[in-house]
Amino acid sequence: DAGVIQSPRHEVTEMGQEVTLRCKPISGHNSLFWYRQTMMRGLELLIYFNNNVPIDDSGMPEDRFSAKMPNASFSTLKIQPSEPRDSAVYFCASTASATNTGELFFGEGSRLTVL
Amino acid sequence: AQSVTQPDIHITVSEGASLELRCNYSYGATPYLFWYVQSPGQGLQLLLKYFSGDTLVQGIKGFEAEFKRSQSSFNLRKPSVHWSDAAEYFCAVYSGGGADGLTFGKGTHLIIQP
């Protein structure tokens, strides 16, 4: 079975550029989560969607960050303009909310480096 | 709100030795508990989970964890570690109610000595 698929796996960009990270959740999962992982702050929940609707975006650090989920099989996390402090690994995760157990299935992450 | 504490940031164990990673949680009721493993350059993978019932749960890769309500702990154990077990281990607690009910610990970095 295909797991959560993220792209790109690695992204190196210059400060001020727009960055778009992509995620395809596991088929049948209706909840999707975006996390950011850094050495200093660990895993941080940025935003999560339920049935394609953003439920809680309180973790989004600032207006430079935006996320969309136009359909059940695709989500994007966009940073515009990017800054060096955005360098991190960004994880997408999905789950079937009907079971409501808190168990998440993670993608392999997108490592972002902003120079 | 719930919280998770993993008191050990780093642990070094010799290959073949036993392992115990500590996890303490704070929550008023019995939560759902998880251990995830993150190998270098990879995402988090579920090792095992506790929802209810037998307090000793078995997971993948030979790991087990024991839920102790009286100590608010959910420690991860393995009788004999392999070099491939070197990774970051995260304990997590879920109290229900959506994504804000899921809390991860800061992680424990496991180093395996030959």
Side-chain angles (χ1 to χ4, degrees):
Chain A
D1 289 342
V4 175
I5 300 173
Q6 292 187 245
S7 65
R9 290 295 311 278
H10 302 273
E11 175 91 3
V12 180
T13 190
E14 293 187 343
M15 182 173 62
Q17 296 298 305
E18 178 179 296
V19 173
T20 299
L21 308 178
R22 298 173 178 80
C23 175
K24 177 178 169 58
I26 292 173
S27 178
H29 284 186
N30 60 342
S31 291
L32 183 140
F33 307 78
W34 282 101
Y35 282 87
R36 179 172 67 177
Q37 185 180 41
T38 61
M39 290 289 290
M40 292 298 293
R41 302 170 72 92
L43 268 172
E44 301 174 277
L45 176 65
L46 300 178
I47 186 171
Y48 80 98
F49 295 83
N50 197 40
N51 293 321
N52 311 340
V53 176
I55 303 300
D56 184 357
D57 65 353
S58 60
M60 297 285 261
E62 46 198 277
D63 292 345
R64 297 184 298 106
F65 286 69
S66 62
K68 294 182 180 179
M69 192 165 185
N71 57 62
S73 59
F74 184 66
S75 177
T76 59
L77 178 67
K78 185 175 293 186
I79 308 172
Q80 166 64 18
S82 59
E83 297 183 3
R85 59 189 168 130
D86 302 329
S87 297
V89 182
Y90 292 81
F91 288 102
C92 178
S94 70
T95 192
S97 62
T99 58
N100 200 27
T101 62
E103 178 181 349
L104 299 185
F105 297 81
F106 284 81
E108 294 190 322
S110 295
R111 180 175 294 276
L112 173 65
T113 302
V114 183
L115 304 174
Chain B
Q2 71 275 11
S3 65
V4 179
T5 302
Q6 293 181 247
D8 303 305
I9 298 174
H10 301 277
I11 283 196
T12 301
V13 178
S14 297
E15 190 169 15
S18 64
L19 169 70
E20 182 169 31
L21 301 183
R22 296 182 292 165
C23 173
N24 292 96
Y25 68 91
S26 172
Y27 180 60
T30 300
Y32 296 157
L33 296 160
F34 307 87
W35 275 98
Y36 286 85
V37 60
Q38 183 182 25
S39 298
Q42 302 297 313
L44 279 71
Q45 179 186 18
L46 183 69
L47 272 179
L48 48 79
K49 59 192 176 187
Y50 172 78
F51 291 164
S52 64
D54 192 346
T55 56
L56 184 64
V57 294
Q58 303 296 322
I60 62 172
K61 305 185 181 186
F63 284 91
E64 66 178 26
E66 186 172 11
F67 169 58
K68 292 186 177 180
R69 183 191 305 275
S70 61
Q71 299 176 18
S72 297
S73 68
F74 188 56
N75 293 349
L76 181 70
R77 301 195 294 250
K78 186 170 185 178
S80 176
V81 297
H82 186 262
W83 64 266
S84 61
D85 293 325
E88 192 83 16
Y89 291 80
F90 293 91
C91 182
V93 57
Y94 181 65
S95 58
D100 56 352
L102 179 63
T103 302
F104 285 89
K106 296 292 187 185
T108 297
H109 185 58
L110 176 62
I111 300 166
I112 306 297
Q113 282 184 336

